[in-house]
Amino acid sequence: MSDVVGYEVRGRIAVVTIDNPPVNALGHAVRVGLIEQIDRAVADDAAGAIVLIGAGRTFPAGADIREFDQPPRDPHLLTILDSFDAVEKPIVAALHGTALGGGLELTLGCHFRVAAPGARVGTPEVKLGIFPGAAGTQRLPRVAGLDHALELIVMGEPIGAAKALDYGIVDEIIEGDLLDGAIAFAEKVLEDGTPRPISSEPKEGIGTPEQFAEVIQKYRDLAARRMRGQESPLEAIESVLDGLRMPYEQAVAADRERFPRCKDSDQSKALRYAFFAEREAAKIPGVGKEIQPRPVETGAVIGAGTMGGGIIMCFADSGIPVTAIETSQEALDRGRIDEAEMARRVALISTSLDYSDVGGADLIIEAAFEDLELKKEIFAQLDGVAKPGAILATNTSYMDINQIAAATGRPEDVIGLHFFVPANVMKMLEVVRTDTSSPEAVATGMRVARAFGKVGGLAGVSHGFVANRSRAPLVREAIFLVEEGATPAQIDQVLRDFGLPMGVLAVSDLSGIDVSWRMRQSLAHLRDPEERYVHLADRLCEMGRFGRKTGSGWYTYGDGGSLPVPDPEVDEIAAAVAAEQGIERRQIDDAEILHRCLYAAVNEGAKIVEEGVALRASDIDIMWQYGFGFPRWRGGIMYHADRVGLPEVLARVEEFHAAHGKLWQPSALLCDLAASGGSFTG
Ligand SMILES: NC(=O)c1ccc[n+]([C@@H]2O[C@H](COP(=O)([O-])OP(=O)(O)OC[C@H]3O[C@@H](n4cnc5c(N)ncnc54)[C@H](O)[C@@H]3O)[C@@H](O)[C@H]2O)c1
């Protein structure tokens, strides 16, 4: 008998318990055990109904992802739930924890579902490049209606028990002991002789695709917007539509062909890579489970500008009281803390002009101007007022945090917490470990990322840390390409076609091209005369073309508009700069644009890994994804380079090195891996 699926009879109810820690994944042994124990209950005269429940912290949380890359092994989950349809004893699934993917599909094979109040259900398969392939796309619409089913299947976000009840996915919410409640529910079904709903059977209210055209279009549009370029949501919709067009058996047969095609696609492989890369990013050598993060129950933010305002929201949204410090009342008043938002969270946010008001904070995040001397001053001041053990963090984009830490008498408590714009929206948080940061400080940074609903990734001190440093060469090449004859619109189109949410020059216009201009000016003394320089970007700034906020930059913006419009003047300016620099302008093909932009970033990424500034190449990929909106279905820039083949990437880098000089110096790691047949991401 199975050792991962248990059986007992309570009164006249058979209880089948899946016990496969940690999350009761529906691996092969569980599937075999399920068949055995359900058969046993069917044959058991003492049992009138069956309750199916998970031991430990959750109902099966999904399929066993480790089995993904292996050939499928019988029994398939689908066979199991199809067999439930013929079981004449009512089967009640009792849900707690997270019943996701195959876990939810299993419950759809059951006749009834009850749930603990904290249970969550969902079908996140599209996020792995597949769709709910054990008839979830057929059964869920019949249980929840087409609109709700598409919401779950296409968007992949889980919902809570209350919503699941509302959607008809759950029949009852059980307060108190779940098993007792589920048994009582089963007893009542027996007593009332409630008919068993069978979710593979045709159901009233489910019509033809034509009848549902509007709903279907809504989800096609949503998928195109939120997961642009990703195939799995569209495949999932097709699968659901099959269920409207044909009988259950035929639709399931169509799925059987569709599923392997999705699973074996490049996109699915990249999405699975991203899934594991995200988990990996949380692992930091030297900061194991034995390291206790410090509790963060109160926060403070220094500087309530663009970034500070967003960071204040992060605290408030997480229920952490926060004090905002500014230099003047006017600055606080014009502060970017939206007033309505502020009112809603007012109980959690307080403002002050006095540094001593942050004395009680567990975590202080500085987001003042990007100026090293100012930041050193602020940290010296904080050192004087912050309580012992407080974590002092800076949101600097480029400054040397070792120097900032050295301005305090407690450099071990100083880290970088680098947010992305907008700070309360973007999911990435780069946690910067200085030469002196304690493991506790780093652990606290990673914990704060989670508390803010973000993904933490570790970086070492370096100009731009990991994310901005690896992205800067892409922007640089885009500018050079305009000098050489491409238009901003052409470059941005190539990058968008590749999957980026926005073209890189349109992004520059949005955030202001003067920001990096000022930084270049402050670092002018460090400039290497042998390296090619972005003269064109300087020229636009000298002309006051700072981007969207001044009405023109790489594009022009008519009448305060937000839509970038190609501007022939940029072409004229570029031609003039090219003439001054002795650059011969030419037609540039799309492939060169893509390779120049991407491989410049990959080569820099390789240097970042080589220097130990990033722990692993996959961390760079996670940062691009959650910090810059790089398409998850591409895996990331480093993963993409591996797929292209490192010898080919290196050959291009060497070509560009020969043509454009020093900035293209190939990374030693890239050379080694290309020569040895290795890869960045395994
Ligand atoms: N804007 C971005 O895209 C971005 C992204 C990541 C990180 N950062 C970094 O975040 C920091 C802030 O950038 P921002 O864009 O929010 O700038 P900002 O100019 O919008 O805001 C800075 C705020 O700090 C206040 N301030 C200045 N000195 C202060 C002091 N001594 N005490 C208290 N408040 C003070 C200013 O009044 C201003 O409101 C910079 O270090 C920047 O590099 C910016």
Side-chain angles (χ1 to χ4, degrees):
M1 271 289 152
S2 172
D3 53 5
V4 287
V5 185
Y7 184 85
E8 62 173 316
V9 179
R10 295 240 199 131
R12 51 178 178 158
I13 309 297
V15 178
V16 174
T17 308
I18 300 174
D19 188 4
N20 181 31
V23 295
N24 293 324
L26 294 163
H28 182 253
V30 171
R31 299 198 301 274
V32 170
L34 262 174
I35 292 195
E36 270 174 25
Q37 304 295 33
I38 297 289
D39 282 353
R40 184 168 163 188
V42 169
D44 190 341
D45 289 339
I50 304 164
V51 165
L52 180 59
I53 193 167
R57 63 176 200 239
T58 185
F59 195 81
D64 190 340
I65 296 183
R66 285 168 307 184
E67 287 183 6
F68 252 65
D69 293 315
Q70 296 161 13
R73 271 176 89 186
D74 284 338
H76 191 279
L77 182 61
L78 177 67
T79 324
I80 299 175
L81 33 119
D82 279 354
S83 76
F84 288 1
D85 286 349
V87 172
E88 292 194 356
K89 298 178 180 177
I91 308 178
V92 180
L95 316 184
H96 73 301
T98 45
L100 301 179
L104 181 60
E105 288 179 301
L106 177 63
T107 75
L108 297 174
C110 300
H111 308 115
F112 302 96
R113 287 156 295 277
V114 298
R120 296 181 67 74
V121 304
T123 47
E125 281 89 342
V126 286
K127 296 187 172 179
L128 295 174
I130 51 175
F131 61 91
T137 42
Q138 310 312 327
R139 290 177 185 262
L140 193 55
R142 290 173 166 90
V143 169
L146 192 69
D147 197 343
H148 295 150
L150 283 173
E151 177 192 327
L152 265 75
I153 292 169
V154 177
M155 306 319 290
E157 296 299 334
I159 59 171
K163 206 169 193 182
L165 181 71
D166 186 36
Y167 284 10
I169 298 172
V170 161
D171 299 297
E172 193 174 300
I173 292 183
I174 307 279
E175 306 284 347
D177 187 83
L178 178 64
L179 181 56
D180 288 349
I183 289 174
F185 183 93
E187 286 282 1
K188 187 156 186 329
V189 166
L190 286 180
E191 225 154 84
D192 298 351
T194 317
R196 291 171 302 114
I198 294 175
S199 63
S200 62
E201 287 178 354
K203 196 186 157 200
E204 231 175 292
I206 291 288
T208 64
E210 290 68 38
Q211 284 169 281
F212 284 103
E214 217 170 287
V215 175
I216 294 162
Q217 194 55 42
K218 173 170 90 180
Y219 288 100
R220 279 197 212 283
D221 293 346
L222 267 174
R225 246 197 346 265
R226 305 236 188 111
M227 290 168 274
R228 196 169 65 87
Q230 191 170 320
E231 291 151 8
S232 52
L234 304 177
E235 294 278 9
I237 291 175
E238 277 312 303
S239 167
V240 169
L241 294 189
D242 277 354
L244 307 186
R245 294 179 188 123
M246 44 183 102
Y248 174 80
E249 289 73 20
Q250 271 179 39
V252 164
D255 279 349
R256 212 169 289 140
E257 284 177 21
R258 183 179 284 117
F259 193 81
R261 191 173 72 231
C262 289
K263 192 186 83 163
D264 297 336
S265 68
D266 290 342
Q267 288 202 353
S268 177
K269 287 177 190 148
L271 288 162
R272 270 135 63 192
Y273 157 79
F275 176 85
F276 287 111
E278 187 174 332
R279 288 185 170 187
E280 199 63 23
K283 296 181 192 150
I284 302 175
V287 189
K289 287 210 163 65
E290 71 288 357
I291 304 294
Q292 279 298 319
R294 303 214 183 119
V296 174
E297 281 156 16
T298 52
V301 175
I302 312 296
T306 309
M307 296 307 286
I311 299 170
I312 291 163
M313 290 305 162
C314 291
F315 276 111
D317 285 341
S318 321
I320 303 174
V322 58
T323 305
I325 300 283
E326 260 293 352
T327 46
S328 66
Q329 191 56 45
E330 295 103 272
L332 275 178
D333 294 342
R334 92 177 109 79
R336 309 279 159 84
I337 322 166
D338 180 81
E339 263 181 40
E341 289 291 299
M342 172 104 171
R344 200 155 70 76
R345 300 174 176 86
V346 78
L348 290 170
I349 303 174
S350 52
T351 58
S352 166
L353 304 174
D354 182 354
Y355 272 59
S356 59
D357 285 337
V358 304
D362 298 315
L363 168 65
I364 304 173
I365 303 177
E366 170 274 321
F369 300 132
E370 186 75 341
D371 173 329
L372 184 60
E373 289 315 310
L374 172 69
K375 289 190 193 283
K376 283 177 16 188
E377 250 171 60
I378 291 177
F379 273 72
Q381 246 178 303
L382 290 177
D383 192 20
V385 294
K387 68 180 185 186
I391 301 293
L392 310 182
T394 172
N395 178 46
T396 180
S397 304
Y398 292 96
M399 296 297 151
D400 179 350
I401 307 181
N402 282 321
Q403 290 192 46
I404 296 173
T408 72
R410 41 174 130 177
E412 66 281 3
D413 292 338
V414 176
I415 54 172
L417 286 180
H418 179 237
F419 291 75
F420 294 71
V421 225
N424 54 328
V425 174
M426 295 311 281
K427 268 193 83 176
M428 193 66 220
L429 183 61
E430 200 172 9
V431 177
V432 186
R433 169 156 68 182
T434 72
D435 295 347
T436 46
S437 305
S438 68
E440 287 76 17
V442 172
T444 309
M446 296 297 283
R447 163 72 68 85
V448 165
R450 264 200 316 255
F452 285 176
K454 298 186 189 296
V455 176
L458 191 78
V461 174
S462 167
H463 190 70
F465 312 109
V466 170
N468 282 339
R469 179 176 159 189
S470 57
R471 185 176 177 274
L474 184 157
V475 183
R476 171 198 90 202
E477 288 305 312
I479 297 169
F480 290 160
L481 284 159
V482 181
E483 289 180 352
E484 290 166 40
T487 63
Q490 184 192 3
I491 294 166
D492 281 354
Q493 189 58 44
V494 168
L495 294 172
R496 272 181 55 80
D497 287 348
F498 181 75
L500 262 61
M502 245 177 115
V504 63
L505 295 172
V507 171
S508 291
D509 269 358
L510 184 58
S511 46
I513 46 182
D514 54 315
V515 179
S516 46
W517 179 48
R518 284 186 230 287
M519 189 170 70
R520 284 195 299 279
Q521 285 173 326
S522 70
L523 297 175
H525 58 289
L526 298 174
R527 200 172 126 196
D528 180 346
E530 282 176 36
E531 282 178 2
R532 190 173 165 188
Y533 182 76
V534 284
H535 294 283
L536 176 57
D538 277 14
R539 184 65 50 86
L540 293 181
C541 290
E542 285 154 12
M543 299 172 73
R545 302 184 62 120
F546 291 170
R548 199 180 283 192
K549 63 187 168 192
T550 58
S552 68
W554 292 107
Y555 296 88
T556 180
Y557 300 83
D559 284 341
S562 59
L563 211 64
V565 178
D567 185 351
E569 207 186 323
V570 172
D571 204 47
E572 285 162 27
I573 304 165
V577 169
E580 287 162 26
Q581 300 301 320
I583 295 164
E584 202 169 316
R585 301 193 91 213
R586 62 197 162 93
Q587 275 275 323
I588 301 178
D589 64 39
D590 291 354
E592 177 176 345
I593 291 174
L594 188 64
H595 294 164
R596 288 269 294 277
C597 290
L598 281 186
Y599 298 165
V602 168
N603 194 38
E604 192 65 30
K607 291 177 188 174
I608 287 169
V609 175
E610 188 183 304
E611 294 168 20
V613 171
L615 289 173
R616 27 184 119 74
S618 58
D619 286 1
I620 301 176
D621 288 344
I622 289 302
M623 292 196 196
W624 277 60
Q625 200 186 107
Y626 287 123
F628 304 137
F630 191 84
R632 193 171 166 95
W633 54 266
R634 286 271 188 202
I637 52 167
M638 306 307 278
Y639 178 85
H640 176 72
D642 282 342
R643 301 284 82 70
V644 170
L646 297 188
E648 193 179 323
V649 172
L650 177 60
R652 291 295 267 166
V653 168
E654 284 172 337
E655 238 174 82
F656 298 142
H657 187 210
H660 306 287
K662 210 171 166 182
L663 287 166
W664 280 94
Q665 178 66 43
S667 125
L669 178 66
L670 173 59
C671 296
D672 288 352
L673 291 173
S676 65
S679 67
F680 291 129
T681 61

